[in-house]
Amino acid sequence: MTTVTLSDLRKEFDDVTAVESIDLEVRDSEFLVIVGPSGCGKSTTLRLIAGLERATDGEVRMDGRDVVDDEPKERNVAMVFQNYALYPHMTGRRNMTFGMKSAGDFTDGEIDDLVAEAAEMLDIADLLDRKPGAMSGGERQRVALGRAIVRDPDVFLMDEPLSNLDAKLRIQMRAELSKLHTELETTTIYVTHDQTEAMTLGDRVAVMNDGRVQQVDPPQRLYDYPANRFVAEFIGDPAMNMLPATVDGADGGAPVLDHRAFTLPLPDDASSALDDRSSAVLGVRPEDLYLVEASDGAYPGSIDATVDVIEPLGDSLLLECTVGEDVIRANANPRADVDHGDALELRYDPERLHVFDADTGRALYHSATTDEAPVMHAGD
Ligand code: ATP
């Protein structure tokens, strides 16, 4: 079992800086997911760990040993790619075992046992004598996983392994990958741009943007305590609403956020986190807003909104509303009686408000109460 530590890792390709500076500690037996938008440097980070790219600067340590100058085969990692990377002229079995015997680490008997074990785990016994051309995409990916498993590596590195599969198969394979990890307990680093995959698979999730890690936390903490605006808007679908506001009353009075169209009271403990009269951004998730159909107008901090777009999602109605000059999205009861142009009142969950610095985007305050101090920004 193995830990992987990246310190100030950097990779430049000519005039492109693919990885700016990565600090990341992957724990023994952990399933760590790296998620981020296209081009943020996820695959390059994984390739640096595998040894397929040479770092411009920084360290890659495995169990404390610096491997940054080691060849890929010296690192004892196994990589699974999006495009399966199987040899078309070889059977499933040959694809899984190719190169193992010549490397001299395993005897014929051991290789047979490992293949049989992996075949049972992945339910691919009937694919062992078939060539990739006679397999479906899902079957090819199982064989590719089998190839990684039989090598009994210290670390699995997976680069968007489910992206070429259809939606139903992806969900099924996601569950199987989770089960496989529970069984094998091999340290796994998994790259994806899909936040659902990240949230469902990761023990912890590292959110990357612009070649840097923005936050590393377990999925629910990322969702509840995003360290900055980028993480807040990347995690969660539909994305968190962001509304410009000014902090008032944070000098000892009752703190509020003043938006052009409403004033929203904050819990008293917000005073210590916020500067009075500073510009801020209110973050509130669509699922933390409630539609009030018959309002008495007396609720403090309610938001008057006009409905522009109604999207029926089956389990909810997603409403896009105008609030002053801003747009806000709210989830409503799927059978709510709402029409375009309706003026309605939105209320919010006071335990689910987020305040961000208007300039830096850093999280300043989360109204949720927790026993554990939340990570407020990367590097804290
Ligand atoms: P995607 O999700 O689209 O695969 P990614 O987050 O994995 O994106 P990388 O593939 O790591 O991103 O690429 C990061 C940046 O580095 C991109 O701007 C990319 O164009 C650039 N890049 C990656 N590999 C090379 C290379 N071999 N030569 C030059 N530039 C590269």
Side-chain angles (χ1 to χ4, degrees):
M1 296 295 145
T2 308
T3 59
V4 179
T5 311
L6 311 181
S7 311
D8 202 10
L9 193 63
R10 182 179 177 84
K11 177 65 185 175
E12 293 167 10
F13 293 105
D14 301 322
D15 53 349
V16 180
T17 304
V19 171
E20 186 76 40
S21 173
I22 300 273
D23 291 291
L24 186 62
E25 179 109 34
V26 186
R27 299 169 185 158
D28 180 23
S29 305
E30 181 171 40
F31 198 122
L32 182 118
V33 179
I34 301 178
V35 68
S38 185
C40 72
K42 309 179 292 290
S43 294
T44 305
T45 304
L46 207 66
R47 292 171 64 81
L48 287 166
I49 300 169
L52 299 173
E53 300 287 356
R54 192 153 283 260
T56 308
D57 219 336
E59 283 182 353
V60 177
R61 290 185 177 272
M62 290 186 180
D63 275 340
R65 186 173 68 87
D66 189 1
V67 297
V68 83
D69 293 322
D70 285 5
E71 292 299 317
K73 61 178 185 303
E74 295 172 299
R75 302 191 185 196
N76 200 21
V77 300
M79 195 141 170
V80 182
F81 300 91
Q82 174 178 350
N83 62 5
Y84 322 128
L86 297 177
Y87 295 109
H89 59 287
M90 293 183 190
T91 61
R93 179 192 304 275
R94 192 89 175 94
N95 262 292
M96 282 165 70
T97 60
F98 184 68
M100 281 174 83
K101 196 175 164 198
S102 57
D105 297 333
F106 301 93
T107 65
D108 281 348
E110 282 169 341
I111 292 173
D112 287 347
D113 289 348
L114 285 163
V115 169
E117 215 175 292
E120 191 181 330
M121 243 183 247
L122 294 161
D123 197 18
I124 53 169
D126 58 338
L127 303 179
L128 294 179
D129 297 320
R130 265 193 245 169
K131 290 185 181 166
M135 297 177 197
S136 69
E139 289 170 341
R140 285 179 208 171
Q141 195 52 292
R142 278 169 197 277
V143 171
L145 274 171
R147 179 179 52 192
I149 289 172
V150 292
R151 280 163 174 73
D152 189 23
D154 292 334
V155 183
F156 285 129
L157 302 174
M158 302 195 182
D159 193 356
E160 308 242 10
L162 308 186
S163 295
N164 283 1
L165 307 179
D166 66 49
K168 199 170 160 206
L169 198 52
R170 246 189 345 251
I171 294 170
Q172 186 188 331
M173 285 293 281
R174 217 162 66 194
E176 289 189 30
L177 278 177
S178 274
K179 274 196 242 160
L180 211 58
H181 181 252
T182 307
E183 207 165 317
L184 295 171
E185 294 191 328
T186 306
T187 307
T188 302
I189 307 175
Y190 184 106
V191 158
T192 180
H193 63 272
D194 178 347
Q195 54 142 324
T196 309
E197 225 166 87
M199 299 287 276
T200 50
L201 279 172
D203 293 322
R204 288 187 308 153
V205 178
V207 181
M208 261 186 86
N209 191 35
D210 288 340
R212 288 179 188 274
V213 173
Q214 305 290 313
Q215 183 174 0
V216 194
D217 258 319
Q220 194 62 46
R221 278 186 73 74
L222 275 184
Y223 180 87
D224 288 340
Y225 301 101
N228 57 36
R229 273 190 71 162
F230 179 82
V231 176
E233 291 179 274
F234 191 80
I235 300 292
D237 184 24
M240 188 185 280
N241 294 296
M242 295 288 176
L243 300 158
T246 306
V247 177
D248 226 330
D251 53 353
V256 297
L257 276 180
D258 275 328
H259 177 266
R260 279 187 296 261
F262 60 89
T263 297
L264 189 143
L266 291 170
D268 287 348
D269 67 344
S271 285
S272 56
L274 303 174
D275 289 333
D276 203 35
R277 308 214 166 271
S278 60
S279 297
V281 176
L282 162 68
V284 58
R285 294 195 184 278
E287 52 273 36
D288 296 328
L289 287 167
Y290 307 94
L291 174 61
V292 185
E293 287 173 66
S295 168
D296 59 8
Y299 186 81
S302 61
I303 299 171
D304 292 326
T306 308
V307 179
D308 288 331
V309 181
I310 303 172
E311 292 182 3
L313 300 177
D315 61 346
S316 68
L317 280 184
L318 180 60
L319 306 179
E320 194 172 294
C321 306
T322 309
V323 174
E325 291 169 21
D326 293 310
V327 170
I328 194 167
R329 287 196 157 122
N331 277 107
N333 182 312
R335 283 163 276 280
D337 183 16
V338 191
D339 267 321
H340 295 99
D342 278 1
L344 41 87
E345 180 184 329
L346 297 173
R347 292 184 188 170
Y348 57 90
D349 183 342
E351 292 253 315
R352 292 272 165 262
L353 300 176
H354 311 268
V355 184
F356 301 93
D357 187 294
D359 297 324
T360 65
R362 275 174 49 171
L364 300 171
Y365 176 72
H366 303 290
S367 67
T369 42
T370 176
D371 293 341
E372 240 181 293
V375 179
M376 295 308 282
H377 58 86
D380 269 7

